[in-house]
């Protein structure tokens, strides 16, 4: 059993700089929780407070029901994997993994057994006598993970562990860490700025901005039901498209883009929750994969003048302008499109998101 | 051609530095009468000057004293100054920069200014004519602190955090995790401290009067200029040669690290 509970956690440097603002959430036993957000959002600071590497200015932190605010890192029964691996350069791979156990006076036979087991899981058996300098980036990261798992801690903390690896290795390590989570049944808190990692690895995602929690939910719920424009734009790649416009009543209710060139019929098919925004500004959000080919103007289809094409092999990203803002559509690779040409496109009306331009909150049905 | 000129200058420079040492060593090995005529190679070799020196002064005891004092000071400086350097480089506390600037400021004070207050302190502590007077005042110095601070600044914070999570306290972090990664700095500070302590004359002259506690440079100075050498140049040179020997040997052993540390500008792979 290992549960973490953050209650109204704050981190301030001096009087004015609030890095983490009144953050509360729980990490359940055996859960893989991902903290994600742009640089400077406070995600690493939050993780370091859980680790005990940063003091908590106010609030309470519980691990397994025990208040640990003032407990030093070594007494919290946690292990951490760092972005730049943080291996001890003067020790061999074996000693790096064994060091934490030695300090805890674990019997030598058990240390060796645990190190060997971890090395086997991570494919490091042939490298145990090497120093970190003689390892590749991926191998170093594996050693760092090994150092964490030999300790059999209650909680694993990962601080952007994959961001120093190249793209291919990152994908590989991503699946390895997910597999480890399943095998070890460990409680993991994982910090990343990469929304792909967050989506693919997490049981739940916590999205942070400027020290505040924006949303906590499962990856799919965050993706399909973002609570505000920030979350909608942050999760998903390419990001969600936003079109500013107005809700107007002209023989039916329409969304009309600010430049007046795009018109989408809202009624009679639904969207009663938008009535309150009649003749007011509103932001429409649509994901690139929810833009399709076809559609007549009468049915809210529109003609897009193609600015840029990005063929990805299995699909093609088509960029065009709406309201002078760039919009991207994710279309099948067989789409007959060329730069400077045009395409008839339509938004999937069942998958539109609407945001209040003032609060940027989603407008709920 | 350019290289040839460069090497020529280097060779001339090297010879200019080596020759006085060479001459001193050779002159200590020839009979007293031959010294004035010595230029390069001696005609007869004798250890008379050394034997006479051993008869006249307790140089072996002074050698031990010097080794003991210089080693104690060096060990103390490595331990204490690395602790201060670590605190200044890696711990966050109010007044950290102020303390650092004060430490730098102490470097601008010449030794002569603090000489009298230090002496009075030694008298008050009752340390005159003890090893304590030779060792304790030298255990912390600004140069070593700055060297260690700079060395620790190049070490990533994550390494220290990882050690903390593994269960290290601050002292273990310094001596078990950081020390092995700053060996060139340790060697440099070690050699410089050892040399400076070894060569110190003025301070021992002031606080030590008991011949059995005198360091080599002190004894040799008193011997050479104090009249007991009876104007015999060979004996004086023999004592000077013996004085220089340990430092040269130490340098030869550690020169690799020494040059490495002096050449590195904080770059780390």
């Amino acid at each position: 059993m290992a549960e973490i509970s953050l209650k109204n956690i704050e981190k301030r440097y001096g009087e004015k700089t609030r890095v983490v603002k009144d953050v509360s959430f729980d990490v359940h036993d055996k859960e893989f929780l991902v903290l994600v957000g742009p640089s400077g959002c406070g995600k690493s600071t939050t993780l370091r407070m859980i680790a005990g590497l940063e003091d908590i200015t106010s609030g309470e932190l519980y691990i397994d029901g025990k208040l640990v605010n003032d407990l030093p890192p070594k007494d919290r029964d946690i292990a951490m994997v760092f972005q730049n691996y943080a291996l001890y350069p003067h020790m061999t791979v074996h000693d790096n993994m064994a060091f934490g156990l030695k300090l805890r006076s674990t019997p030598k036979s058990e240390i060796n057994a645990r190190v060997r087991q971890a090395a086997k899981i991570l494919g490091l058996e042939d490298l145990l006598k090497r120093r970190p300098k003689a390892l590749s980036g991926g191998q170093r990261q594996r050693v760092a993970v090994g150092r964490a798992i030999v300790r059999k801690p209650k909680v694993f903390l990962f601080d952007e562990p994959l961001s120093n690896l190249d793209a291919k290795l990152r994908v590989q390590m991503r699946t390895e860490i997910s597999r480890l989570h399943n095998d070890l049944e460990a409680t993991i808190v994982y910090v990343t700025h990469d929304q792909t990692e967050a989506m693919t690895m997490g049981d739940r995602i916590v999205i942070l901005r400027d020290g505040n929690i924006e949303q906590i939910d499962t990856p799919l719920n965050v993706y399909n039901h973002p609570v505000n424009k920030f979350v909608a734009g942050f999760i998903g790649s390419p990001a969600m498209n936003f079109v500013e416009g107005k809700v107007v009543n002209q023989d039916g209710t329409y969304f009309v883009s600010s430049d007046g060139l795009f018109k989408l019929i809202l009624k009679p098919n639904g969207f009663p929750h938008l009535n309150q925004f009649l003749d007011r500004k509103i932001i429409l959000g649509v994901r690139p994969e929810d833009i399709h080919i076809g559609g007549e103007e009468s049915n809210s289809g529109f003609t897009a003048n193609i600015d840029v094409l990005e063929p990805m092999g299995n699909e093609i990203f088509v960029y065009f302008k709406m309201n002078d803002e760039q919009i991207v559509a994710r279309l099948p690779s067989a789409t007959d499109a060329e730069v400077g040409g045009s395409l008839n496109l339509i938004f999937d009306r069942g998958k539109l998101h609407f945001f209040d331009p003032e609060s940027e909150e989603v407008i709920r049905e | 051609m350019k290289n040839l000129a460069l090497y020529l200058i280097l060779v001339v420079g090297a010879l200019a530095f080596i020759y006085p040492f060479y001459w001193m060593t050779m002159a200590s090995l020839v009979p007293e009468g031959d010294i004035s005529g010595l230029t390069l190679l001696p005609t007869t070799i004798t250890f008379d000057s050394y034997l006479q020196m051993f008869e006249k002064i307790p140089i072996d005891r002074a050698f031990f004293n010097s080794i003991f004092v210089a080693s104690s000071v060096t060990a103390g400086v490595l331990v204490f100054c690395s602790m201060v350097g670590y605190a200044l480089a890696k711990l966050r506390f109010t007044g950290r920069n102020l303390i650092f600037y004060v430490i730098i400021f102490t470097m601008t004070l010449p030794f002569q200014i603090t000489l009298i207050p230090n002496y009075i302190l030694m008298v008050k502590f009752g340390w005159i004519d003890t090893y304590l007077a030779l060792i304790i005042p030298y255990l912390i110095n600004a140069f070593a602190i700055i060297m260690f601070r700079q060395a620790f600044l190049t070490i990533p914070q994550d390494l220290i955090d990882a050690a903390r999570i593994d269960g290290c306290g601050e002292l273990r972090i310094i001596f078990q995790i950081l020390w092995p990664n700053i060996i060139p700095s340790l060697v440099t500070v070690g050699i410089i401290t050892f040399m400076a302590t070894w060569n110190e004359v003025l301070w021992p002259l002031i606080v030590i009067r008991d011949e059995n506690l005198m360091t080599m440079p002190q004894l040799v100075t008193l011997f050479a200029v104090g009249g007991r050498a009876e104007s015999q140049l060979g004996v004086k040179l023999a004592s000077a040669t013996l004085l220089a020997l340990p430092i040269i040997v130490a340098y030869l052993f550690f020169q690799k690290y020494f040059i490495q540390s002096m050449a590195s500008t904080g770059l780390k792979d």
Side-chain angles (χ1 to χ4, degrees):
Chain A
M1 276 291 282
E3 285 180 350
I4 307 171
S5 184
L6 285 82
K7 294 197 191 309
N8 311 104
I9 295 282
E10 284 251 353
K11 179 69 187 177
R12 285 190 294 267
Y13 293 112
E15 279 304 300
K16 285 183 183 161
T17 324
R18 282 173 85 200
V19 186
V20 176
K21 301 167 189 165
D22 196 21
V23 161
S24 299
F25 62 85
D26 293 326
V27 188
H28 307 138
D29 186 36
K30 295 171 193 167
E31 184 177 35
F32 196 127
L33 186 89
V34 179
L35 303 180
V36 67
S39 297
C41 71
K43 56 191 189 296
S44 278
T45 310
T46 306
L47 191 79
R48 290 171 61 81
M49 284 193 284
I50 298 173
L53 297 170
E54 296 276 350
D55 292 333
I56 296 168
T57 312
S58 68
E60 290 164 350
L61 173 69
Y62 296 90
I63 297 179
D64 262 355
K66 187 180 165 196
L67 185 68
V68 296
N69 280 37
D70 299 319
L71 219 56
K74 66 184 166 84
D75 298 329
R76 293 190 184 196
D77 202 6
I78 44 144
M80 188 158 167
V81 178
F82 294 88
Q83 180 177 355
N84 58 10
Y85 326 126
L87 301 176
Y88 308 122
H90 57 294
M91 294 185 197
T92 61
V93 169
H94 179 281
D95 292 347
N96 261 287
M97 294 205 265
F99 188 63
L101 294 174
K102 274 185 199 158
L103 292 187
R104 284 167 175 75
S105 311
T106 314
K108 211 173 172 188
S109 55
E110 195 183 335
I111 294 179
N112 286 337
R114 284 208 214 171
V115 169
R116 247 179 284 127
Q117 193 195 357
K120 199 175 163 195
I121 295 173
L122 296 162
L124 293 168
E125 288 154 303
D126 298 335
L127 307 172
L128 285 175
K129 287 194 175 132
R130 289 210 200 158
R131 298 257 167 103
K133 216 164 131 186
L135 302 177
S136 69
Q139 289 167 336
R140 284 181 205 187
Q141 194 52 278
R142 270 198 204 102
V143 177
V145 173
R147 179 167 66 179
I149 62 179
V150 292
R151 292 250 318 276
K152 297 187 179 167
K154 276 185 193 158
V155 179
F156 289 88
L157 306 174
F158 287 83
D159 190 3
E160 309 215 18
L162 306 185
S163 44
N164 280 3
L165 303 179
D166 63 52
K168 197 178 163 190
L169 210 51
R170 207 178 304 159
V171 176
Q172 192 188 334
M173 280 301 286
R174 214 160 67 196
T175 52
E176 276 189 39
I177 292 176
S178 292
R179 202 193 65 218
L180 262 175
H181 171 239
N182 292 331
D183 292 351
L184 300 173
E185 298 192 324
T187 306
I188 294 181
V189 184
Y190 187 106
V191 161
T192 180
H193 63 268
D194 179 355
Q195 56 87 28
T196 316
E197 279 174 33
M199 286 295 290
T200 53
M201 300 170 86
D203 293 329
R204 282 192 306 156
I205 306 180
V206 178
I207 296 131
L208 290 153
R209 175 170 62 158
D210 298 335
N212 293 307
I213 293 180
E214 298 287 319
Q215 188 169 3
I216 309 179
D217 215 327
T218 61
L220 281 183
N221 275 347
V222 169
Y223 190 80
N224 292 325
H225 307 290
V227 295
N228 57 34
K229 188 176 165 224
F230 171 78
V231 174
F234 190 78
I235 298 289
S237 176
M240 184 185 278
N241 301 297
F242 297 107
V243 185
E244 266 192 43
K246 257 185 181 179
V247 178
V248 293
N249 217 340
Q250 302 168 338
D251 307 328
T253 312
Y254 290 87
F255 169 86
V256 182
S257 65
S258 307
D259 60 6
L261 298 175
F262 170 69
K263 213 170 162 189
L264 177 87
I265 186 153
L266 299 174
K267 274 191 174 178
N269 298 34
F271 306 104
H273 58 293
L274 297 181
N275 283 346
Q276 50 173 325
F277 281 86
L278 208 59
D279 290 325
R280 277 170 59 188
K281 272 195 176 170
I282 195 168
I283 296 170
L284 178 151
V286 59
R287 294 217 178 264
E289 63 269 29
D290 298 328
I291 304 175
H292 305 297
I293 294 177
E296 303 299 316
E297 206 161 320
S298 59
N299 197 24
S300 297
F302 60 95
T303 305
N305 296 316
I306 302 168
D307 289 333
V308 178
L309 288 175
E310 281 183 354
M312 308 300 287
N314 60 338
E315 57 193 6
I316 189 166
F317 295 159
V318 177
Y319 292 85
F320 56 94
K321 289 244 165 72
M322 199 175 256
N323 273 357
D324 255 356
E325 297 279 341
Q326 188 132 279
I327 305 286
V328 55
R330 189 179 209 153
L331 300 173
S333 58
T335 306
D336 183 20
E338 56 184 328
V339 175
S342 62
L343 272 177
N344 275 343
L345 299 175
I346 186 167
F347 290 170
D348 184 337
R349 298 196 322 141
K351 294 189 174 164
L352 298 178
H353 305 260
F354 290 95
F355 303 95
D356 182 334
E358 278 167 26
S359 67
E360 297 200 340
E361 297 291 314
V362 76
I363 300 162
R364 294 192 186 278
E365 287 176 31
Chain B
M1 199 55 207
K2 203 176 152 191
N3 270 352
L4 191 73
L6 189 69
Y7 283 120
L8 206 65
I9 293 169
L10 286 175
V11 167
V12 171
L15 286 177
F17 275 100
I18 290 169
Y19 185 71
F21 283 102
Y22 173 80
W23 187 86
M24 175 179 78
T25 314
M26 285 304 138
S28 72
L29 289 169
V30 300
E32 186 73 24
D34 291 3
I35 294 177
S36 53
L38 180 73
T39 44
L40 268 180
L41 288 173
T43 43
T44 39
I45 296 264
T46 169
F47 289 97
D48 277 356
S49 300
Y50 287 89
L51 292 174
Q52 277 187 49
M53 177 190 65
F54 275 106
E55 278 167 20
K56 287 185 178 184
I57 48 171
I59 191 84
D60 44 350
R61 172 78 199 185
F63 180 77
F64 166 79
N65 288 341
S66 274
I67 291 276
F68 176 71
V69 169
S71 305
S72 307
V73 169
T74 305
V77 162
L78 293 181
V79 170
F80 296 122
C81 293
S82 61
M83 285 161 74
V84 180
Y86 171 75
L88 291 174
K90 293 293 181 187
L91 301 182
R92 276 200 301 247
F93 55 92
T94 325
R96 182 175 75 164
N97 286 338
L98 181 71
I99 292 173
F100 181 56
Y101 294 137
V102 169
I103 290 171
I104 292 180
F105 173 71
T106 64
M107 290 181 87
T108 63
L109 294 176
F111 173 65
Q112 287 78 354
I113 286 183
T114 55
L115 191 68
I116 308 273
N118 270 341
Y119 174 70
I120 294 169
L121 217 57
M122 293 300 110
V123 173
K124 294 237 158 117
F125 287 161
W127 287 354
I128 297 297
D129 262 341
T130 66
Y131 284 129
L132 292 177
L134 292 174
I135 296 169
I136 306 285
Y138 285 94
L139 287 183
I140 289 270
N141 75 69
F143 164 76
I145 290 171
I146 291 166
M147 285 284 286
F148 281 124
R149 176 181 176 268
Q150 296 313 111
F152 288 140
L153 282 177
T154 65
I155 294 199
Q157 181 63 34
D158 280 357
L159 191 69
I160 293 165
D161 290 340
R164 266 191 202 133
I165 285 177
D166 263 343
C168 291
E170 302 300 328
L171 291 180
R172 197 189 283 276
I173 289 175
I174 298 174
F175 299 118
Q176 210 171 343
I177 303 296
L178 300 185
W179 263 30
N181 293 301
I182 56 154
I183 287 173
S185 300
L186 285 169
V187 172
T188 307
V189 171
I191 291 181
I192 289 175
T193 309
F194 193 91
M195 281 201 307
T197 318
W198 184 275
N199 290 333
E200 183 62 51
V201 177
L202 187 54
W203 181 248
L205 276 174
I206 289 166
V207 293
I208 301 292
R209 285 128 204 195
D210 180 352
E211 204 174 63
N212 280 324
L213 290 174
M214 284 184 183
T215 61
M216 253 176 104
Q218 182 186 8
L219 192 67
V220 167
T221 308
L222 285 175
F223 176 61
V225 299
R228 285 170 68 184
E230 293 158 358
S231 303
Q232 282 180 289
L233 192 55
V235 183
K236 290 180 187 175
L237 292 171
S239 59
T241 306
L242 223 52
L243 185 62
L245 203 62
I247 294 292
I248 293 170
V249 171
Y251 178 76
L252 289 179
F253 264 110
F254 292 113
Q255 66 162 334
K256 188 184 93 180
Y257 293 107
F258 194 67
I259 290 165
Q260 197 179 337
S261 170
M262 283 301 186
S264 77
T265 52
L267 292 174
K268 222 172 157 105
D269 60 320

